[in-house]
Coordinates of all heavy atoms in Angstrom, one line a residue:
P1 N 0.8 -1.2 0.0 CA 0.0 0.0 0.0 C 0.8 1.3 0.0 O 2.0 1.2 0.5 CB -0.8 -0.1 1.3 CG -0.2 -1.2 2.1 CD 0.7 -2.0 1.2
C2 N 0.3 2.3 -0.5 CA 0.9 3.6 -0.6 C 0.1 4.6 0.2 O -1.1 4.5 0.3 CB 1.1 4.0 -2.0 SG 2.2 2.9 -3.0
F3 N 0.8 5.7 0.6 CA 0.2 6.8 1.4 C 0.6 8.1 0.7 O 1.7 8.3 0.4 CB 0.7 6.7 2.8 CG 0.2 7.9 3.6 CD1 -1.1 7.9 4.1 CD2 1.0 9.0 3.9 CE1 -1.6 9.0 4.9 CE2 0.6 10.0 4.7 CZ -0.7 10.0 5.1
L4 N -0.4 8.9 0.5 CA -0.2 10.2 -0.2 C -0.9 11.3 0.6 O -2.1 11.1 1.0 CB -0.8 10.1 -1.6 CG -0.7 11.3 -2.5 CD1 0.8 11.6 -2.9 CD2 -1.5 11.2 -3.7
S5 N -0.2 12.4 0.9 CA -0.8 13.5 1.6 C -0.3 14.8 1.0 O 0.8 14.8 0.5 CB -0.6 13.5 3.1 OG 0.8 13.5 3.4
Q6 N -1.0 15.9 1.3 CA -0.6 17.2 0.7 C -0.9 18.3 1.7 O -1.8 18.3 2.4 CB -1.4 17.5 -0.6 CG -1.1 18.8 -1.2 CD -1.9 19.0 -2.5 OE1 -2.7 18.1 -2.9 NE2 -1.8 20.2 -3.1
N7 N 0.1 19.2 1.8 CA -0.1 20.5 2.5 C 0.1 21.6 1.5 O 0.3 21.4 0.3 CB 0.7 20.5 3.8 CG 2.2 20.5 3.5 OD1 2.6 21.0 2.4 ND2 3.0 20.0 4.4
K8 N 0.1 22.8 2.0 CA 0.3 24.0 1.1 C 1.6 24.0 0.4 O 1.7 24.5 -0.7 CB 0.0 25.3 1.8 CG -1.4 25.5 2.3 CD -1.6 26.8 2.9 CE -3.0 27.0 3.4 NZ -4.0 27.4 2.4
E9 N 2.6 23.4 0.9 CA 4.0 23.5 0.4 C 4.4 22.2 -0.4 O 5.3 22.3 -1.2 CB 5.0 23.8 1.4 CG 5.0 25.2 2.0 CD 3.9 25.3 3.1 OE1 3.7 24.3 3.9 OE2 3.2 26.3 3.2
S10 N 3.9 21.1 0.0 CA 4.5 19.9 -0.6 C 3.5 18.7 -0.6 O 2.4 18.8 0.0 CB 5.7 19.5 0.2 OG 5.3 19.1 1.5
I11 N 3.9 17.7 -1.4 CA 3.1 16.5 -1.4 C 4.0 15.4 -0.8 O 5.2 15.3 -1.2 CB 2.7 16.1 -2.8 CG1 1.8 17.1 -3.4 CG2 2.1 14.7 -2.9 CD1 1.4 16.9 -4.8
R12 N 3.5 14.6 0.1 CA 4.3 13.5 0.7 C 3.8 12.2 0.2 O 2.6 11.9 0.1 CB 4.0 13.6 2.2 CG 4.8 12.6 3.0 CD 4.6 12.8 4.5 NE 5.0 11.6 5.2 CZ 4.5 11.3 6.4 NH1 3.5 12.0 6.9 NH2 4.9 10.2 7.0
F13 N 4.7 11.3 -0.2 CA 4.4 10.0 -0.8 C 5.2 9.0 -0.1 O 6.4 9.1 -0.1 CB 4.6 10.0 -2.3 CG 4.3 8.8 -3.0 CD1 2.9 8.5 -3.3 CD2 5.2 7.8 -3.3 CE1 2.6 7.3 -3.9 CE2 4.9 6.6 -3.9 CZ 3.6 6.4 -4.2
E14 N 4.6 8.0 0.4 CA 5.3 6.8 1.0 C 4.7 5.5 0.5 O 3.5 5.4 0.3 CB 5.1 6.8 2.5 CG 5.7 8.0 3.3 CD 5.3 7.9 4.8 OE1 5.1 6.8 5.3 OE2 5.3 9.0 5.4
C15 N 5.6 4.6 0.1 CA 5.1 3.4 -0.4 C 6.1 2.2 0.0 O 7.2 2.5 0.2 CB 5.1 3.5 -2.0 SG 4.1 2.2 -2.8
E16 N 5.6 1.0 0.1 CA 6.4 -0.1 0.5 C 7.4 -0.5 -0.6 O 8.4 -1.1 -0.3 CB 5.5 -1.3 0.8 CG 4.7 -1.1 2.1 CD 3.8 -2.3 2.4 OE1 3.8 -3.3 1.7 OE2 3.1 -2.2 3.4
V17 N 7.1 -0.1 -1.8 CA 8.0 -0.4 -2.9 C 8.6 0.9 -3.4 O 8.0 1.9 -3.3 CB 7.4 -1.2 -4.1 CG1 6.9 -2.6 -3.6 CG2 6.2 -0.4 -4.6
E18 N 9.8 0.8 -4.0 CA 10.4 2.0 -4.5 C 9.8 2.4 -5.9 O 9.7 1.6 -6.8 CB 11.9 1.7 -4.8 CG 12.7 2.9 -5.2 CD 12.9 4.0 -4.2 OE1 12.9 3.6 -3.0 OE2 13.0 5.1 -4.5
I19 N 9.3 3.7 -5.9 CA 8.7 4.2 -7.1 C 9.4 5.5 -7.5 O 9.5 6.4 -6.6 CB 7.2 4.5 -7.0 CG1 6.4 3.2 -6.6 CG2 6.6 5.1 -8.2 CD1 5.0 3.4 -6.3
P20 N 10.0 5.6 -8.7 CA 10.7 6.8 -9.0 C 9.9 8.1 -9.0 O 8.7 8.0 -9.4 CB 11.2 6.6 -10.4 CG 11.1 5.1 -10.6 CD 10.0 4.6 -9.7
V21 N 10.4 9.2 -8.5 CA 9.7 10.4 -8.4 C 9.0 10.9 -9.7 O 7.9 11.3 -9.7 CB 10.6 11.5 -7.8 CG1 9.9 12.9 -7.8 CG2 11.0 11.2 -6.3
P22 N 9.7 10.8 -10.8 CA 9.1 11.2 -12.1 C 7.8 10.4 -12.4 O 6.9 10.9 -13.0 CB 10.2 10.9 -13.2 CG 11.4 11.0 -12.4 CD 11.2 10.5 -11.1
V23 N 7.8 9.1 -12.0 CA 6.6 8.3 -12.2 C 5.4 8.8 -11.4 O 4.3 9.0 -11.9 CB 6.8 6.8 -11.9 CG1 5.6 6.0 -11.9 CG2 7.9 6.2 -12.9
I24 N 5.7 9.2 -10.2 CA 4.7 9.7 -9.3 C 4.2 11.1 -9.8 O 3.0 11.4 -9.9 CB 5.2 9.9 -7.8 CG1 5.5 8.5 -7.3 CG2 4.2 10.6 -6.9 CD1 6.4 8.5 -6.0
E25 N 5.2 12.0 -10.2 CA 4.8 13.3 -10.7 C 3.9 13.2 -12.0 O 3.0 13.9 -12.1 CB 6.1 14.1 -11.0 CG 6.8 14.5 -9.8 CD 8.1 15.2 -10.1 OE1 8.6 15.0 -11.2 OE2 8.6 15.8 -9.2
N26 N 4.3 12.2 -12.8 CA 3.5 12.0 -14.1 C 2.1 11.5 -13.7 O 1.1 12.0 -14.3 CB 4.2 11.0 -15.0 CG 3.4 10.9 -16.3 OD1 3.1 11.8 -17.0 ND2 3.1 9.6 -16.6
F27 N 2.0 10.6 -12.8 CA 0.7 10.0 -12.4 C -0.2 11.1 -11.8 O -1.4 11.1 -12.1 CB 0.9 8.9 -11.4 CG -0.4 8.2 -11.0 CD1 -1.1 7.4 -11.8 CD2 -0.8 8.3 -9.7 CE1 -2.2 6.8 -11.4 CE2 -2.0 7.7 -9.2 CZ -2.7 6.9 -10.1
L28 N 0.3 11.9 -11.0 CA -0.4 13.0 -10.3 C -0.5 14.3 -11.2 O -1.2 15.2 -10.8 CB 0.2 13.4 -9.0 CG 0.2 12.3 -7.9 CD1 1.0 12.7 -6.7 CD2 -1.2 11.9 -7.5
Q29 N 0.1 14.3 -12.3 CA 0.1 15.4 -13.2 C 0.6 16.7 -12.5 O 0.0 17.8 -12.6 CB -1.2 15.6 -13.9 CG -1.6 14.4 -14.8 CD -2.8 14.7 -15.6 OE1 -2.8 15.6 -16.4 NE2 -3.9 13.9 -15.4
I30 N 1.7 16.6 -11.7 CA 2.2 17.7 -10.9 C 2.5 18.9 -11.7 O 2.3 20.0 -11.3 CB 3.4 17.2 -10.1 CG1 3.0 16.1 -9.1 CG2 4.1 18.3 -9.4 CD1 2.0 16.5 -8.1
H31 N 3.0 18.7 -12.9 CA 3.5 19.8 -13.7 C 2.4 20.5 -14.5 O 2.6 21.5 -15.3 CB 4.7 19.4 -14.6 CG 5.8 18.9 -13.8 ND1 6.5 19.7 -12.9 CD2 6.3 17.6 -13.6 CE1 7.4 19.0 -12.3 NE2 7.3 17.7 -12.7
E32 N 1.2 20.0 -14.4 CA 0.0 20.6 -15.1 C -0.5 21.7 -14.1 O -0.7 21.4 -13.0 CB -1.1 19.6 -15.3 CG -0.8 18.7 -16.5 CD -0.8 19.3 -17.8 OE1 -1.6 20.3 -18.0 OE2 0.0 18.9 -18.7
P33 N -0.7 22.9 -14.6 CA -1.2 24.0 -13.7 C -2.6 23.6 -13.2 O -3.5 23.3 -14.0 CB -1.2 25.2 -14.6 CG -0.4 24.8 -15.9 CD -0.4 23.3 -15.9
I34 N -2.8 23.7 -11.9 CA -4.1 23.3 -11.3 C -5.2 24.2 -11.8 O -6.3 23.7 -12.0 CB -4.0 23.3 -9.8 CG1 -5.2 22.7 -9.1 CG2 -3.8 24.7 -9.2 CD1 -5.2 21.2 -9.2
Q35 N -4.9 25.5 -12.1 CA -6.0 26.4 -12.6 C -6.4 26.0 -14.0 O -7.6 26.0 -14.3 CB -5.5 27.8 -12.6 CG -6.6 28.8 -12.7 CD -7.7 28.6 -11.7 OE1 -7.4 28.6 -10.5 NE2 -9.0 28.5 -12.1
K36 N -5.5 25.5 -14.8 CA -5.8 25.0 -16.1 C -6.8 23.8 -16.1 O -7.7 23.7 -16.8 CB -4.5 24.6 -16.9 CG -4.8 24.1 -18.3 CD -3.5 23.7 -18.9 CE -3.7 22.9 -20.2 NZ -2.5 22.4 -20.7
I37 N -6.5 22.9 -15.1 CA -7.3 21.7 -14.9 C -8.7 22.2 -14.4 O -9.7 21.7 -15.0 CB -6.7 20.8 -13.9 CG1 -5.4 20.2 -14.5 CG2 -7.6 19.6 -13.6 CD1 -4.5 19.5 -13.5
R38 N -8.8 23.0 -13.5 CA -10.0 23.5 -12.9 C -10.9 24.2 -14.0 O -12.1 24.1 -14.1 CB -9.8 24.5 -11.8 CG -9.4 23.9 -10.5 CD -9.4 24.9 -9.4 NE -8.7 24.3 -8.3 CZ -8.1 25.0 -7.4 NH1 -8.0 26.4 -7.5 NH2 -7.6 24.5 -6.3
D39 N -10.2 25.0 -14.8 CA -10.9 25.8 -15.9 C -11.5 24.8 -16.9 O -12.4 25.2 -17.6 CB -10.0 26.8 -16.6 CG -9.6 27.9 -15.7 OD1 -10.3 28.1 -14.7 OD2 -8.6 28.6 -16.0
S40 N -11.0 23.6 -17.0 CA -11.5 22.6 -18.0 C -12.8 22.0 -17.5 O -13.5 21.3 -18.3 CB -10.5 21.6 -18.3 OG -10.3 20.7 -17.2
F41 N -13.1 22.1 -16.2 CA -14.3 21.5 -15.6 C -15.6 22.3 -16.0 O -15.5 23.6 -16.1 CB -14.2 21.4 -14.1 CG -13.2 20.5 -13.6 CD1 -12.6 20.7 -12.4 CD2 -12.7 19.4 -14.4 CE1 -11.6 19.9 -11.9 CE2 -11.7 18.6 -13.9 CZ -11.1 18.8 -12.7
P42 N -16.7 21.7 -16.1 CA -17.9 22.5 -16.4 C -18.3 23.4 -15.2 O -18.3 23.0 -14.1 CB -19.0 21.4 -16.6 CG -18.3 20.1 -16.6 CD -17.0 20.3 -16.1
K43 N -18.6 24.7 -15.5 CA -18.9 25.6 -14.5 C -20.2 25.4 -13.9 O -20.5 25.8 -12.7 CB -18.8 27.1 -15.0 CG -17.4 27.4 -15.6 CD -16.4 27.5 -14.5 CE -15.1 27.9 -15.1 NZ -14.0 27.0 -14.9
N44 N -21.1 24.8 -14.6 CA -22.5 24.6 -14.1 C -22.7 23.3 -13.4 O -23.8 22.9 -13.0 CB -23.5 24.8 -15.2 CG -23.3 23.7 -16.3 OD1 -22.3 23.1 -16.4 ND2 -24.2 23.6 -17.2
D45 N -21.6 22.5 -13.2 CA -21.8 21.2 -12.5 C -21.5 21.5 -11.0 O -20.4 21.7 -10.5 CB -20.8 20.2 -13.0 CG -21.0 18.8 -12.4 OD1 -21.3 18.7 -11.2 OD2 -20.8 17.9 -13.2
R46 N -22.6 21.5 -10.2 CA -22.4 21.9 -8.8 C -21.6 20.9 -8.0 O -21.0 21.2 -7.0 CB -23.8 22.1 -8.1 CG -24.7 20.9 -8.0 CD -26.0 21.3 -7.4 NE -26.8 20.2 -7.3 CZ -27.4 19.7 -6.2 NH1 -27.3 20.4 -5.1 NH2 -28.2 18.6 -6.2
W47 N -21.7 19.6 -8.4 CA -20.9 18.6 -7.7 C -19.4 18.7 -7.9 O -18.6 18.6 -6.9 CB -21.4 17.2 -8.0 CG -22.8 16.9 -7.6 CD1 -23.9 16.9 -8.4 CD2 -23.2 16.8 -6.2 NE1 -25.0 16.7 -7.6 CE2 -24.6 16.7 -6.3 CE3 -22.6 16.8 -5.0 CZ2 -25.4 16.5 -5.1 CZ3 -23.4 16.7 -3.9 CH2 -24.8 16.5 -3.9
I48 N -19.0 19.1 -9.1 CA -17.6 19.3 -9.4 C -17.2 20.6 -8.6 O -16.1 20.6 -8.0 CB -17.3 19.4 -10.9 CG1 -17.5 18.1 -11.5 CG2 -16.0 20.0 -11.1 CD1 -17.3 18.0 -13.0
Q49 N -18.0 21.6 -8.6 CA -17.6 22.9 -8.0 C -17.5 22.6 -6.4 O -16.6 23.2 -5.8 CB -18.6 24.0 -8.3 CG -18.6 24.4 -9.8 CD -17.2 24.7 -10.3 OE1 -16.5 25.4 -9.6 NE2 -16.9 24.3 -11.5
R50 N -18.4 21.8 -5.9 CA -18.3 21.5 -4.4 C -17.1 20.8 -4.1 O -16.4 21.0 -3.1 CB -19.5 20.7 -4.0 CG -20.8 21.4 -3.9 CD -21.9 20.5 -3.6 NE -22.7 21.0 -2.5 CZ -23.8 20.4 -2.0 NH1 -24.2 19.2 -2.5 NH2 -24.5 20.9 -1.0
S51 N -16.7 19.8 -5.0 CA -15.5 19.1 -4.8 C -14.2 20.0 -4.8 O -13.3 19.8 -4.0 CB -15.3 18.0 -5.9 OG -16.4 17.1 -5.8
I52 N -14.2 20.9 -5.8 CA -13.1 21.8 -5.9 C -13.0 22.7 -4.6 O -11.9 22.9 -4.1 CB -13.2 22.7 -7.1 CG1 -13.0 21.9 -8.4 CG2 -12.2 23.9 -7.1 CD1 -13.3 22.6 -9.7
N53 N -14.1 23.2 -4.1 CA -14.1 24.0 -2.9 C -13.8 23.2 -1.7 O -13.1 23.7 -0.8 CB -15.5 24.6 -2.7 CG -15.9 25.6 -3.8 OD1 -15.0 26.2 -4.4 ND2 -17.1 25.9 -4.0
F54 N -14.2 21.9 -1.6 CA -13.9 21.1 -0.5 C -12.4 20.6 -0.5 O -11.8 20.5 0.6 CB -14.8 19.9 -0.5 CG -14.5 18.9 0.7 CD1 -15.0 19.2 2.0 CD2 -13.9 17.7 0.4 CE1 -14.7 18.4 3.0 CE2 -13.6 16.8 1.5 CZ -14.1 17.2 2.8
C55 N -11.9 20.4 -1.7 CA -10.6 19.8 -1.8 C -9.8 20.6 -2.9 O -9.7 20.1 -4.1 CB -10.7 18.3 -2.1 SG -9.3 17.4 -1.9
P56 N -9.3 21.8 -2.6 CA -8.8 22.6 -3.7 C -7.6 22.0 -4.4 O -7.3 22.5 -5.5 CB -8.4 23.9 -3.0 CG -8.4 23.6 -1.5 CD -9.3 22.4 -1.3
G57 N -6.9 21.1 -3.9 CA -5.7 20.5 -4.5 C -6.1 19.3 -5.4 O -5.2 18.5 -5.8
I58 N -7.4 19.1 -5.6 CA -7.9 17.9 -6.3 C -7.2 17.7 -7.7 O -6.9 18.7 -8.4 CB -9.4 17.9 -6.5 CG1 -9.9 16.5 -6.9 CG2 -9.9 18.9 -7.5 CD1 -11.4 16.4 -6.7
R59 N -6.8 16.5 -8.0 CA -6.1 16.3 -9.3 C -6.8 15.1 -10.0 O -7.4 14.3 -9.4 CB -4.7 15.8 -9.0 CG -3.8 16.9 -8.4 CD -3.1 17.7 -9.5 NE -2.3 18.7 -9.0 CZ -1.7 19.6 -9.7 NH1 -1.8 19.5 -11.0 NH2 -1.0 20.6 -9.2
I60 N -6.7 15.1 -11.3 CA -7.1 14.0 -12.1 C -5.9 13.1 -12.3 O -4.9 13.6 -12.9 CB -7.8 14.5 -13.4 CG1 -9.0 15.3 -13.1 CG2 -8.1 13.3 -14.3 CD1 -9.6 15.9 -14.4
L61 N -6.0 11.9 -11.9 CA -4.9 11.0 -12.1 C -4.7 10.5 -13.5 O -5.7 10.3 -14.2 CB -5.1 9.8 -11.2 CG -5.3 10.0 -9.7 CD1 -5.5 8.8 -8.9 CD2 -4.1 10.8 -9.1
K62 N -3.5 10.4 -13.9 CA -3.1 9.9 -15.2 C -2.8 8.4 -15.2 O -1.7 8.0 -15.0 CB -1.9 10.7 -15.8 CG -1.6 10.5 -17.2 CD -0.5 11.4 -17.7 CE -0.3 11.3 -19.2 NZ 0.7 12.2 -19.6
S63 N -3.9 7.7 -15.2 CA -3.7 6.2 -15.1 C -4.0 5.5 -16.4 O -4.6 6.1 -17.3 CB -4.7 5.7 -14.0 OG -6.0 6.0 -14.2
D64 N -3.5 4.4 -16.5 CA -3.6 3.5 -17.6 C -5.1 3.3 -18.0 O -5.9 3.1 -17.0 CB -2.9 2.2 -17.4 CG -3.1 1.2 -18.5 OD1 -2.3 1.4 -19.5 OD2 -3.9 0.3 -18.4
P65 N -5.5 3.4 -19.2 CA -6.9 3.2 -19.6 C -7.5 1.8 -19.1 O -8.6 1.8 -18.6 CB -7.0 3.2 -21.1 CG -5.8 4.1 -21.4 CD -4.7 3.8 -20.4
W66 N -6.7 0.8 -19.2 CA -7.2 -0.5 -18.7 C -7.4 -0.5 -17.2 O -8.4 -1.0 -16.6 CB -6.3 -1.6 -19.1 CG -6.7 -3.0 -18.5 CD1 -6.0 -3.7 -17.6 CD2 -7.8 -3.7 -18.8 NE1 -6.6 -4.9 -17.3 CE2 -7.8 -4.9 -18.0 CE3 -9.0 -3.5 -19.6 CZ2 -8.8 -5.9 -18.1 CZ3 -9.9 -4.5 -19.6 CH2 -9.9 -5.6 -18.9
E67 N -6.5 0.1 -16.5 CA -6.6 0.2 -15.0 C -7.8 1.1 -14.6 O -8.6 0.7 -13.7 CB -5.3 0.9 -14.5 CG -5.3 1.1 -13.0 CD -4.0 1.8 -12.5 OE1 -3.1 2.0 -13.3 OE2 -4.0 2.2 -11.3
T68 N -8.0 2.1 -15.3 CA -9.2 3.0 -15.1 C -10.5 2.2 -15.3 O -11.4 2.3 -14.5 CB -9.1 4.2 -16.0 OG1 -7.9 4.9 -15.8 CG2 -10.3 5.2 -15.7
T69 N -10.6 1.5 -16.4 CA -11.7 0.7 -16.6 C -12.0 -0.3 -15.5 O -13.2 -0.5 -15.1 CB -11.6 -0.1 -18.0 OG1 -11.4 0.9 -19.0 CG2 -12.8 -0.9 -18.3
C70 N -11.0 -1.0 -15.1 CA -11.1 -2.0 -14.0 C -11.6 -1.3 -12.7 O -12.5 -1.8 -12.0 CB -9.8 -2.7 -13.8 SG -9.4 -3.8 -15.1
M71 N -11.0 -0.1 -12.4 CA -11.4 0.6 -11.2 C -12.9 1.0 -11.3 O -13.6 1.0 -10.3 CB -10.5 1.8 -11.0 CG -9.1 1.4 -10.5 SD -8.1 2.9 -10.0 CE -7.9 3.7 -11.5
F72 N -13.3 1.4 -12.5 CA -14.7 1.9 -12.6 C -15.6 0.7 -12.4 O -16.6 0.8 -11.7 CB -14.9 2.5 -14.0 CG -16.3 2.8 -14.3 CD1 -16.9 3.9 -13.8 CD2 -17.1 2.0 -15.1 CE1 -18.2 4.2 -14.0 CE2 -18.4 2.3 -15.4 CZ -19.0 3.4 -14.8
I73 N -15.3 -0.5 -13.0 CA -16.2 -1.6 -12.9 C -16.2 -2.1 -11.4 O -17.3 -2.4 -10.9 CB -15.7 -2.8 -13.8 CG1 -15.9 -2.4 -15.3 CG2 -16.4 -4.1 -13.5 CD1 -15.2 -3.3 -16.3
C74 N -15.1 -2.1 -10.8 CA -15.1 -2.5 -9.4 C -15.9 -1.6 -8.5 O -16.6 -2.0 -7.6 CB -13.7 -2.6 -8.8 SG -12.7 -4.0 -9.5
S75 N -15.8 -0.3 -8.8 CA -16.5 0.7 -8.1 C -18.0 0.6 -8.3 O -18.8 0.6 -7.3 CB -16.1 2.1 -8.5 OG -16.9 3.1 -7.9
A76 N -18.4 0.3 -9.5 CA -19.8 0.1 -9.9 C -20.4 -1.1 -9.2 O -21.5 -1.1 -8.7 CB -20.0 0.1 -11.4
M77 N -19.6 -2.2 -9.2 CA -20.0 -3.4 -8.6 C -20.2 -3.3 -7.0 O -21.1 -3.8 -6.4 CB -19.0 -4.6 -8.9 CG -19.0 -4.9 -10.4 SD -20.6 -5.5 -11.0 CE -20.8 -7.0 -10.1
K78 N -19.3 -2.5 -6.4 CA -19.4 -2.3 -5.0 C -20.6 -1.5 -4.7 O -21.3 -1.8 -3.7 CB -18.1 -1.5 -4.5 CG -18.1 -1.2 -3.0 CD -16.9 -0.4 -2.6 CE -16.9 -0.2 -1.1 NZ -18.0 0.5 -0.6
Q79 N -21.0 -0.5 -5.5 CA -22.2 0.3 -5.2 C -23.4 -0.6 -5.4 O -24.4 -0.5 -4.7 CB -22.2 1.5 -6.2 CG -21.2 2.5 -5.9 CD -21.3 3.2 -4.6 OE1 -22.4 3.4 -4.1 NE2 -20.2 3.4 -3.9
A80 N -23.4 -1.5 -6.4 CA -24.5 -2.3 -6.7 C -24.8 -3.3 -5.5 O -25.9 -3.7 -5.2 CB -24.3 -3.1 -8.0
S81 N -23.7 -3.7 -4.9 CA -23.9 -4.7 -3.8 C -24.3 -4.1 -2.5 O -24.8 -4.8 -1.6 CB -22.5 -5.5 -3.6 OG -21.6 -4.6 -3.1
E82 N -24.2 -2.8 -2.4 CA -24.6 -2.2 -1.1 C -26.0 -1.7 -1.2 O -26.9 -1.6 -1.3 CB -23.7 -0.9 -0.9 CG -22.3 -1.4 -0.5 CD -21.4 -0.2 -0.3 OE1 -21.8 1.0 -0.4 OE2 -20.2 -0.4 0.0

């Protein structure tokens, strides 16, 4: 398992296995300006706006399409079973 936290100055990442910093930066899209990402969100979507206000450092993860599909299916199945 890995642990990720953020404060105003930095992002802290701990993992049981060694992961190169550039891989983490790419996955979190650290070098993408946060305002550019926020500006791409629909302004009339209140849930997205609430999320931005609640968690201003929110990022869209750059994950593999297959991994994303699997996570989506697992998430949907979990919701269906509850």
Side-chain angles (χ1 to χ4, degrees):
C2 297
F3 175 78
L4 182 69
S5 64
Q6 177 180 358
N7 62 31
K8 290 187 185 274
E9 290 83 37
S10 64
I11 295 174
R12 181 176 163 208
F13 182 80
E14 295 177 26
C15 197
E16 291 180 0
V17 296
E18 184 70 28
I19 300 176
V21 171
V23 171
I24 298 165
E25 291 175 341
N26 183 53
F27 182 69
L28 297 174
Q29 300 190 59
I30 295 298
H31 301 295
E32 286 292 325
I34 192 75
Q35 194 58 49
K36 178 183 171 188
I37 295 168
R38 285 185 190 153
D39 290 345
S40 71
F41 296 154
K43 301 291 183 241
N44 61 346
D45 187 321
R46 69 183 176 124
W47 294 107
I48 288 178
Q49 296 306 317
R50 284 175 134 178
S51 298
I52 291 170
N53 292 335
F54 179 75
C55 198
I58 195 168
R59 295 271 178 182
I60 296 175
L61 303 178
K62 189 174 188 177
S63 54
D64 177 78
W66 175 246
E67 179 184 351
T68 303
T69 303
C70 290
M71 288 189 295
F72 175 77
I73 292 169
C74 290
S75 173
M77 295 301 293
K78 181 181 183 302
Q79 291 297 322
S81 68
E82 291 180 358

